Amino acid sequence: MRRDFEFCIPTRGTKVPEAPDWIVKYDGYRLRVERNGDRARLFTRNGYDWTKRYPWIVESALKNRMKQFVIDGEAVILGVDGVSDFNALHSGKHNDEVQLYAFDVMALDGDDLRQIPLSMRKTSLLRLLARRPDGIFVAPFEQGEIGPDLFRAACNMGLEGLVSKRRDRPYRAGRSPNWIKVKNRSHPAMSRVRDSF
């Protein structure tokens, strides 16, 4: 399998796009899962190998029936309310509880999927994770028309922000105008970590 799967990086935005050709998801801490045969590895957006840090994600990747894939997603710890708990994730004290919210698939079963539209990649991701064990979930997303309302709800829930993506675009490495990130400026991450996109 090719090893040059670089992250697509969202462009900073001040408002969430409100149109049907966009999809919207909650923001989080990026992580790429690469499985090749009997080995699975985890990489951060800055290139750090975190395979040993989050064992539950690795275990889940190795239980998947597919032997080769590359998934783009976010590391999360879900609180009892089902909402991502940034403080628990940031503390590093609960690394064995960290799961992956998968939102894209770059390669599957030896095929590079980055050139096909996001909507088709989402379909492939759903098939890949259809019989998944706990540890890797398909990240929920909404249609772009409700983006501004969803952003207000995300801020009220204390989430980090939203990322909007054009559903008809390929996956491109580097900063992309087809991915827009709008941060919740009152989120604890804003005062503790440098802007991560």
Side-chain angles (χ1 to χ4, degrees):
M1 181 183 291
R2 293 169 57 185
R3 308 298 296 182
D4 59 347
F5 290 94
E6 295 180 28
F7 284 100
C8 180
I9 303 168
T11 299
R12 181 185 313 210
T14 56
K15 66 178 186 174
V16 177
E18 185 177 4
D21 52 347
W22 293 83
I23 61 171
V24 185
K25 71 171 194 64
Y26 295 119
D27 190 20
Y29 192 85
R30 295 284 291 282
L31 198 63
R32 185 177 71 237
V33 179
E34 297 184 5
R35 178 173 178 191
N36 190 6
D38 295 329
R39 186 175 188 192
R41 297 177 71 189
L42 310 180
F43 295 96
T44 68
R45 192 179 70 78
N46 293 322
Y48 295 107
D49 185 335
W50 280 10
T51 304
K52 294 180 180 177
R53 184 173 290 201
Y54 299 144
W56 197 5
I57 298 173
V58 173
E59 179 184 320
S60 182
L62 291 173
K63 287 181 179 178
N64 197 289
R65 68 194 184 285
M66 288 288 185
K67 301 293 185 187
Q68 288 188 326
F69 54 81
V70 179
I71 295 173
D72 192 352
E74 287 146 1
V76 296
I77 294 178
L78 297 180
V80 294
D81 55 1
V83 176
S84 179
D85 185 341
F86 176 82
N87 291 330
L89 181 66
H90 184 72
S91 75
K93 296 177 181 177
H94 309 279
N95 286 348
D96 58 341
E97 299 173 39
V98 174
Q99 301 181 70
L100 186 82
Y101 262 6
F103 59 74
D104 210 333
V105 58
M106 295 186 265
L108 183 60
D109 203 20
D111 294 326
D112 188 337
L113 305 181
R114 291 175 290 182
Q115 297 305 313
I116 66 174
L118 174 60
S119 58
M120 294 175 67
R121 297 193 313 272
K122 288 277 192 191
T123 300
S124 295
L125 182 64
L126 287 169
R127 282 198 306 267
L128 172 64
L129 299 177
R131 295 185 186 96
R132 55 101 184 115
D134 290 342
I136 300 178
F137 297 89
V138 176
F141 65 92
E142 301 291 343
Q143 300 307 313
E145 296 93 334
I146 69 165
D149 292 334
L150 192 63
F151 181 70
R152 283 188 290 277
C155 291
N156 290 337
M157 292 169 58
L159 299 177
E160 192 175 345
L162 291 182
V163 175
S164 302
K165 302 176 182 184
R166 286 286 303 262
R167 61 185 308 113
D168 59 344
R169 296 294 195 255
Y171 191 104
R172 297 268 191 258
R175 196 158 308 279
S176 171
N178 299 314
W179 286 25
I180 306 292
K181 182 176 195 171
V182 180
K183 302 282 274 184
N184 173 5
R185 294 293 166 191
S186 64
H187 190 273
M190 298 305 293
S191 62
R192 293 210 306 221
V193 295
R194 198 171 51 154
D195 209 357
S196 62
F197 68 94

